[in-house]
Amino acid sequence: MRRLTLKDGASDKFWEIDLQGNQYTVRYGRAGTDGQLKTKEFDSEAKAKSEHDKQIAAKLKKGYVEDSAATGSLPAQAVTEPPKAKTSSQKKTTSEASATTPTATETKPIAAYAEEPVSLGLLPVDWRWAPWRPREETEIPPPRPFNLEQLQKTFSGIRIDKSSYLGDFDWRTAETPLRMSKEEAAFWLVAMSNNRRTIAERKKHLKEWDFSKPVDYKQMLYNEAPSTPWLMIPAFNLLSEQEFLDLALTEKEARYHGADLQWERVRGLQYVLPLLSAPGIERLKDAARAHVSVANWPVSNFYQTTNYFVLAAVLGLSDLLTDVVESWDDKLYSGDAWHDHYHKPQEVIFGLQDPEQVSRHFRRLKLRLSNPDYIRAWLAHTGLQHLDYIEESLKQESNRDQAENQLSALIAVNAAEVAPVMLSLTKASKAPKMAKNWLDEHPQAAVTGLAHCIASHRSGALRQDALAALRLMKRKGYADLMQQTAAHQPTLAETIDEVLNYEDPADNPLTDAETPDWLQTGLTPKSKAKPVDWIDANDLPPIIMAGRAFNAQHVAALLLTLKTADSQQAPFFQQLKEQTDGGCLDAFAWALFEAWLSEGAPSKEKWAMMAMGYLGGDESVMKLTPLIRKWPGESQHQRAVSGLEVLRLIGSKTALMQLSGISQKVKFKGVKSKAQEYMEQIAAEKGLTKAELEDMVIPDCGLDEKGRRVFDYGPRQFHFVLGSDLKPKLKDDSGKLRDNPPKPSAKDDAELANDSLQEWKLVKKQIRDMAKIQAERLEQAMVVGRRWKAEDFDALIARHPLMTHLARLLLWGGYQNGQLAGTFRLTDEQDFADVNDDPLALDGFDEVGLVHPLHLTEEDKNAWGEMFSDYELLPPFQQLSRPVFALSEEELEQQSMSRFEKMKLPAPTLVFGLEKQGWARGEAMDAGGFDEHSKQFAAANVTAVVNYEGVVGMGYIEADETLETTEIVFVKGMRQPSGYGWDQKDKILPLKQVDPLVISEVIKDLNQLAAKAEQ
């Protein structure tokens, strides 16, 4: 048996593996506990040995070290459902699939309920972040004998922090003693220096250092730029106290920061404070008092450092710092994210004596807990009282390595109060796997904390997530622990009983004999592939069919089928959707995708994302779309493109409408172009134009044919209405409008109310997004003169459950032979009425379109304006009140709109300003730049083109770059985006030949830019 341990300052874990023939057993958990067991069996002893060695290598790579005292062997663990004998030829396929896929195992907790002491996981040095806390007077051990070999081994076991640019050592895990011999101090000084080298170079440098050679370490300390505050521990042991204080108080002149102390030296004083004499500490305080004042805080210079203020915080000089912190404006650090980087206001606030004031100032200034030390400092001040702020700060971190580094401070805490935070972080952070592991490794805290969460929340997503998490724990074998918890904590008994008594379909799995033949056949992988071993099937939501859950073999076979899936299996997946109970496949697919993300989104397992395309539904669509829009900005362009492919594979109206929305408006050109390509391909496959396809795939969002929906609480109901700001709202029985349904009361039907709340969350977001997309489409339809056949308008717009709400707010025109023949509005009853409010039929019109005010007389505009005012109809964009523009007689003789030539604008203002108005960016030219934007006007058969000079690239648009317009011309036909003025010079129209509506709309767009142009 091999035993490995990991002590990283934040946790103390063990991991054991015992190889027996063709299987191995793993036991893992926190030191001092019995941990958890898992057994895995292989086809041969050689394969088991190979995988055994890989597992050990992986653990050693993560920083685990050998425990040479480990002996004995581990008990083999039984699987929940061992492979069954084949009962018939009809059942052969699933059995064969199961033989090559992992079966889910039930993890039985070994330790029973015990009163665990709450621990914040803080070292003595961490408590010094809260200077108001009394310090324990503990005797500091004398220096230990110098043992170079042991120190080298300790150095090799230090955790690597991947969140820094070059990677760095987490010196906190080195457990360096405060008192050390000169030789050991020299060792750590050399180890902690040279931070500009790579990890490998620094290890090599330390290995080659000759510690027998005399070195002026004092001079080395002055010459070396301090790389870490921990360097001050060996510095103190190498210097006299006087020399050490001279070093700490030595200022350095920096180009942008001015003369100041060095932060690493100041922060490192925190570690050695117990070693300093009273006169030494007083000298430091005198230095702080001489520099710290409200007037000296660099309010207007975010590059200036503030290390004398940090010194005051380290020393606990709250009286000096209180007025300084109170003087900061609430918005001082609300600008760019780096504004607090040099000032370090967090560290100054941590010097205050009152934890409630610490919390108040962090919250009003919206400061991030942006590193693990800040999270430990927050815990040292506030204990478990303000965990919500840690949670929100971790959710804001967009970098995975940074998120994991920050979360390393919180996972050291053992307290039930942390469980809801960890559960939330599994859903909404960049370190979901670490959060999930905490819940797995702290089952008792998880049960207690999540049960408290359920008991204190009558409704809401967190309550539902906590219920789901406890039900999962029950399936994993923690029912006994839950019962013991209820017995020891009677206030949780009712909540835990609710979990234990829940009729979980997963407790009633399908047997092989009951499995339909079509399912047996479909779950047979089409090609050989390695088993899916990176996810525990127990962690995925159950798949329910006719009230029965897929068993472990079914799930394992489905995962392997998804891994090897191609388009030929689409019919099987469609049948699976039709036969399974509502929403379970959608939830399964999304959970699989989240698990893939938590593993670091390995490209070789991308099938786990594409599985959403086969099994996902509208809920996955609504959660995936914001990620697709965000990913390119996080250097994940290819993942975003894969997301578009998932939307295309799902193929529902909601999915295609979201795809359409991305094709129309997203700031990343590559993703936008790919979405447009997909929409064009789908339209061509269906024999439609892109606009016609977009009309046909508008989802009904769960509204009925009249555009209504009721959210039922039993005794009371809430009716959907679309607000004037295009935001979904609810009207109660008294006519009062609400943004959201109220919390259920004791008189409401709990089941109905909870279902309504969950439905509202999905519908609200869906309608809000759809209404915004459709309003923008309708405005562009008016601008470019799009027309619908009268019967298509009636079916796709007037009587569409969602579009009817928007159509009622606008003025429509009936066209005969291309000419406006009449105007009308859509009534609440989905009838048509003219300006006199008389009924009107569409029979007399060939086409219907939105009326542009340029085509109305002043009398018509006034009459319709009065009508809309009487009915309190507020259009989603300017229509009747839309400004109309024209060119002068002199300008009409030109070919370019000279009034807008030579406008100078910042590149982002011009580029994004035009794209917001529906203009398309030009094609990439040499070096990846572009020099135009264009806009097509289909009804007039004209394309407007704005050309400009300046450097602007597809990948990055510099805020400091200025673009200057050179010409604004109109080209006959539907010209595609181009560059260098290609495909336009011989097609440019004189301005007098351009439709006045086109002229008016282009002037309107460019006027908005002109208002921002340099004068």
Side-chain angles (χ1 to χ4, degrees):
M1 183 187 76
R2 301 279 292 275
R3 178 182 173 92
L4 309 179
T5 59
L6 175 65
K7 296 181 180 181
D8 61 2
S11 60
D12 187 357
K13 307 176 187 177
F14 72 90
W15 183 86
E16 300 171 352
I17 188 167
D18 184 28
L19 179 65
Q20 298 286 342
N22 69 335
Q23 69 175 26
Y24 64 67
T25 300
V26 170
R27 190 204 300 268
Y28 62 93
R30 290 182 294 115
T33 69
D34 291 328
Q36 301 178 28
L37 281 173
K38 285 189 178 180
T39 297
K40 194 168 183 180
E41 187 173 345
F42 297 87
D43 295 339
S44 65
E45 293 187 9
K47 194 168 183 179
K49 176 67 167 62
S50 174
E51 186 62 25
H52 164 273
D53 294 345
K54 286 181 183 178
Q55 292 289 327
I56 293 173
K59 290 296 179 184
L60 292 173
K61 188 176 181 181
K62 289 181 178 180
Y64 281 75
V65 295
E66 291 275 5
D67 184 349
S68 57
T71 59
S73 60
L74 299 176
Q77 183 188 24
V79 297
T80 307
E81 294 187 39
K84 297 179 175 64
K86 299 173 187 176
T87 56
S88 69
S89 59
Q90 285 80 13
K91 306 306 172 188
K92 182 178 179 182
T93 51
T94 297
S95 298
E96 289 178 345
S98 301
T100 60
T101 54
T103 57
T105 59
E106 185 177 355
T107 303
K108 296 287 187 183
I110 297 173
Y113 182 91
E115 294 293 343
E116 293 184 339
V118 172
S119 170
L120 296 181
L122 300 179
L123 299 178
V125 69
D126 300 323
W127 290 106
R128 294 186 201 126
W129 281 95
W132 57 272
R133 289 193 181 272
R135 293 174 184 165
E136 294 184 11
E137 298 296 332
T138 56
E139 184 176 350
I140 299 172
R144 58 195 178 191
F146 180 62
N147 186 331
L148 181 60
E149 183 179 351
Q150 183 59 44
L151 289 175
Q152 291 278 13
K153 185 177 180 181
T154 300
F155 178 75
S156 298
I158 296 174
R159 188 179 78 89
I160 303 300
D161 174 9
K162 297 183 294 181
S163 63
S164 59
Y165 177 64
L166 290 175
D168 201 356
F169 295 96
D170 181 0
W171 296 109
R172 191 172 184 274
T173 64
E175 300 181 0
T176 52
L178 283 183
R179 293 195 184 279
M180 55 181 73
S181 65
K182 297 287 185 183
E183 295 85 356
E184 181 171 352
F187 173 89
W188 289 115
L189 172 60
V190 174
M192 294 177 184
S193 300
N194 303 300
N195 65 311
R196 294 189 180 277
R197 300 182 182 184
T198 65
I199 296 291
E201 289 171 341
R202 292 169 73 176
K203 287 184 176 181
K204 183 174 182 290
H205 176 72
L206 182 63
K207 190 173 183 179
E208 294 174 348
W209 188 271
D210 184 358
F211 287 97
S212 64
K213 181 180 177 182
V215 175
D216 186 346
Y217 289 111
K218 176 180 176 181
Q219 193 61 43
M220 184 175 171
L221 280 163
Y222 275 95
N223 291 343
E224 279 280 348
S227 59
T228 170
W230 293 92
L231 191 67
M232 293 300 275
I233 297 178
F236 182 86
N237 286 276
L238 286 168
L239 306 175
S240 68
E241 181 176 274
Q242 183 69 32
E243 292 172 328
F244 175 79
L245 295 175
D246 290 342
L247 176 71
L249 294 175
T250 297
E251 293 185 350
K252 182 178 181 180
E253 182 76 35
R255 180 178 179 184
Y256 297 107
H257 314 314
D260 198 1
L261 305 178
Q262 292 189 269
W263 174 81
E264 291 82 1
R265 292 173 180 168
V266 171
R267 187 77 265 163
L269 291 171
Q270 177 175 310
Y271 306 142
V272 298
L273 277 178
L275 302 176
L276 293 175
S277 67
I281 292 176
E282 196 59 36
R283 180 184 171 189
L284 294 173
K285 289 182 176 180
D286 288 342
R289 293 187 184 106
H291 290 83
V292 173
S293 69
V294 173
N296 283 347
W297 187 264
V299 174
S300 59
N301 182 358
F302 289 114
Y303 288 97
Q304 188 172 333
T305 55
T306 59
N307 294 325
Y308 278 104
F309 294 82
V310 175
L311 174 62
V314 170
L315 298 171
L317 299 178
S318 181
D319 56 322
L320 285 182
L321 299 175
T322 299
D323 289 344
V324 174
V325 175
E326 290 285 358
S327 73
W328 299 340
D329 186 88
D330 291 357
K331 297 182 179 179
L332 181 59
Y333 297 103
S334 62
D336 290 342
W338 62 270
H339 280 179
D340 65 355
H341 178 73
Y342 296 109
H343 283 190
K344 300 193 183 318
Q346 295 94 331
E347 299 190 19
V348 177
I349 295 173
F350 284 136
L352 301 181
Q353 295 288 344
D354 185 350
E356 290 305 315
Q357 291 302 312
V358 170
S359 176
R360 179 175 75 85
H361 287 302
F362 263 82
R363 292 176 191 274
R364 75 175 182 85
L365 294 162
K366 298 180 174 61
L367 295 172
R368 291 269 314 283
L369 299 170
S370 51
N371 65 58
D373 277 336
Y374 288 178
I375 291 177
R376 296 183 189 104
W378 185 267
L379 291 169
H381 273 281
T382 67
L384 300 171
Q385 299 303 308
H386 295 284
L387 293 175
D388 65 300
Y389 202 76
I390 297 178
E391 177 185 337
E392 289 307 311
S393 190
L394 285 164
K395 286 179 178 178
Q396 292 174 36
E397 180 55 63
S398 60
N399 178 277
R400 182 188 178 199
D401 288 339
Q402 293 282 3
E404 291 182 347
N405 189 40
Q406 292 163 28
L407 187 53
S408 67
L410 189 60
I411 63 173
V413 180
N414 182 17
E417 290 86 345
V418 175
V421 176
M422 289 298 182
L423 180 63
S424 181
L425 294 176
T426 64
K427 306 289 183 180
S429 79
K430 288 291 184 179
K433 188 175 182 180
M434 286 181 69
K436 177 184 175 299
N437 287 345
W438 187 95
L439 293 168
D440 289 343
E441 293 170 7
H442 298 77
Q444 184 171 314
V447 169
T448 302
L450 296 180
H452 270 296
C453 176
I454 295 166
S456 59
H457 292 76
R458 285 184 56 83
S459 61
L462 184 57
R463 186 180 198 276
Q464 294 303 313
D465 289 342
L467 276 170
L470 285 185
R471 289 167 185 166
L472 175 59
M473 290 187 71
K474 175 191 170 187
R475 292 202 297 272
K476 286 187 169 184
Y478 289 98
D480 288 346
L481 178 61
M482 292 181 185
Q483 291 173 338
Q484 294 169 30
T485 302
H488 285 81
Q489 302 188 52
T491 57
L492 300 179
E494 183 178 349
T495 300
I496 290 176
D497 283 346
E498 179 184 351
V499 174
L500 294 176
N501 295 331
Y502 172 70
E503 294 184 6
D504 193 339
D507 294 336
N508 186 26
L510 279 169
T511 65
D512 280 356
E514 297 168 324
T515 304
D517 288 343
W518 66 267
L519 183 58
Q520 295 277 5
T521 304
L523 290 179
T524 304
K526 300 303 179 186
S527 59
K528 289 186 177 180
K530 291 183 179 180
V532 180
D533 58 3
W534 54 267
I535 186 169
D536 184 347
N538 279 323
D539 290 331
L540 297 172
I543 298 175
I544 313 300
M545 188 168 66
R548 305 289 297 280
F550 276 26
N551 64 35
Q553 284 76 26
H554 291 141
V555 175
L558 177 60
L559 291 174
L560 196 56
T561 301
L562 288 166
K563 184 175 182 178
T564 59
D566 57 33
S567 59
Q568 294 180 359
Q569 289 164 282
F572 165 69
F573 292 125
Q574 183 58 39
Q575 186 175 9
L576 194 59
K577 281 186 173 184
E578 294 169 356
Q579 296 294 327
T580 50
D581 295 0
C584 66
L585 279 181
D586 197 356
F588 180 91
W590 183 259
L592 178 61
F593 166 67
E594 285 189 314
W596 175 70
L597 287 180
S598 72
E599 292 289 328
S603 57
K604 66 178 182 178
E605 307 291 351
K606 192 177 74 172
W607 63 268
M609 176 182 180
M610 304 312 295
M612 272 192 297
Y614 299 117
L615 305 182
D618 286 351
E619 191 164 347
S620 289
V621 168
M622 300 307 294
K623 290 187 286 191
L624 178 63
T625 301
L627 298 179
I628 295 173
R629 292 179 176 275
K630 183 175 67 173
W631 278 332
E634 299 175 353
S635 302
Q636 295 292 345
H637 168 81
Q638 195 54 52
R639 191 186 299 171
V641 171
S642 296
L644 297 177
E645 179 64 20
V646 168
L647 294 181
R648 181 179 180 178
L649 283 170
I650 292 175
S652 67
K653 287 187 175 182
T654 299
L656 294 182
M657 187 46 59
Q658 292 296 337
L659 187 60
S660 171
I662 295 171
S663 76
Q664 295 172 56
K665 185 173 289 187
V666 68
K667 63 182 179 180
F668 302 105
K669 174 73 173 178
V671 172
K672 183 178 181 180
S673 298
K674 194 66 178 179
Q676 290 172 342
E677 178 186 329
Y678 282 159
M679 288 300 293
E680 296 287 357
Q681 289 175 0
I682 296 168
E685 290 167 3
K686 297 178 179 293
L688 304 168
T689 66
K690 179 171 171 284
E692 289 170 340
L693 173 64
E694 289 169 345
D695 287 341
M696 296 181 68
V697 300
I698 301 172
D700 60 25
C701 300
L703 307 177
D704 67 16
E705 67 277 2
K706 295 290 186 180
R708 299 170 303 200
R709 180 158 180 175
V710 177
F711 295 86
D712 192 0
Y713 273 36
R716 51 183 177 155
Q717 288 79 38
F718 303 91
H719 302 264
F720 162 75
V721 293
L722 188 66
S724 58
D725 53 1
L726 300 186
K727 291 182 179 178
K729 295 182 182 295
L730 292 173
K731 183 183 290 187
D732 61 22
D733 295 333
S734 68
K736 179 182 177 182
L737 284 178
R738 298 173 174 269
D739 290 330
N740 292 296
K743 289 184 177 180
S745 69
K747 295 180 180 180
D748 294 320
D749 183 308
E751 185 174 351
L752 283 176
N754 183 62
D755 289 345
S756 291
L757 279 170
Q758 298 307 312
E759 291 168 4
W760 171 252
K761 289 175 185 176
L762 176 60
V763 167
K764 180 182 179 181
K765 178 171 177 52
Q766 193 177 27
I767 292 178
R768 184 180 65 232
D769 292 351
M770 286 297 114
K772 184 178 179 182
I773 290 172
Q774 296 309 317
E776 292 172 354
R777 285 188 68 228
L778 290 173
E779 182 175 16
Q780 290 306 310
M782 181 191 73
V783 168
V784 303
R786 187 185 170 200
R787 307 281 184 260
W788 287 263
K789 292 180 180 179
E791 59 270 25
D792 289 342
F793 167 77
D794 189 40
L796 300 173
I797 306 294
R799 304 194 185 282
H800 186 279
L802 175 62
M803 296 303 292
T804 189
H805 289 279
L806 295 171
R808 292 169 190 161
L809 305 175
L810 297 163
L811 179 63
W812 296 89
Y815 294 82
Q816 193 75 22
N817 299 321
Q819 300 298 314
L820 183 62
T823 54
F824 63 91
R825 71 178 183 89
L826 180 67
T827 70
D828 288 346
E829 294 75 26
Q830 295 182 327
D831 297 323
F832 308 108
D834 64 16
V835 72
N836 298 315
D837 229 6
D838 292 330
L840 177 144
L842 298 184
D843 300 348
F845 306 129
D846 295 332
E847 296 179 317
V848 173
L850 284 158
V851 181
H852 193 283
L854 196 65
H855 296 155
L856 295 171
T857 64
E858 285 301 316
E859 181 181 357
D860 289 339
K861 282 197 288 187
N862 291 335
W864 275 114
E866 185 176 341
M867 173 74 71
F868 275 59
S869 179
D870 289 345
Y871 280 100
E872 297 182 350
L873 300 175
L874 186 64
F877 54 84
Q878 282 185 314
Q879 188 182 24
L880 294 174
S881 62
R882 196 178 194 85
V884 175
F885 303 96
L887 296 172
S888 66
E889 292 295 328
E890 181 181 350
E891 288 176 304
L892 287 171
E893 298 302 319
Q894 302 171 359
Q895 284 193 324
S896 173
M897 283 185 174
S898 56
R899 69 169 79 177
F900 296 116
E901 293 174 355
K902 298 184 179 179
M903 284 195 306
K904 293 183 179 179
L905 296 120
T909 303
L910 187 147
V911 171
F912 299 132
L914 284 175
E915 291 177 359
K916 187 176 180 180
Q917 302 298 329
W919 294 69
R921 192 179 299 185
E923 289 297 303
M925 306 180 297
D926 294 342
F930 56 94
D931 67 351
E932 68 159 53
H933 272 73
S934 61
K935 188 173 187 177
Q936 297 177 344
F937 294 83
N941 195 32
V942 167
T943 302
V945 183
V946 175
N947 294 113
Y948 39 81
E949 292 179 341
V951 178
V952 57
M954 286 288 183
Y956 187 71
I957 298 173
E958 292 280 358
D960 297 334
E961 183 62 39
T962 297
L963 302 179
E964 181 176 352
T965 56
T966 56
E967 62 178 1
I968 297 88
V969 296
F970 298 83
V971 180
K972 186 175 181 180
M974 297 294 94
R975 173 188 175 277
Q976 296 302 310
S978 183
Y980 298 116
W982 290 336
D983 197 28
Q984 77 180 40
K985 296 189 182 303
D986 57 345
K987 299 179 182 178
I988 295 176
L989 295 170
L991 296 181
K992 62 185 177 183
Q993 294 183 19
V994 180
D995 188 321
L997 184 154
V998 176
I999 293 290
S1000 178
E1001 287 299 323
V1002 171
I1003 292 175
K1004 177 181 177 296
D1005 290 349
L1006 297 184
N1007 273 345
Q1008 295 185 36
L1009 288 183
K1012 302 174 183 177
E1014 298 177 7
Q1015 303 300 320

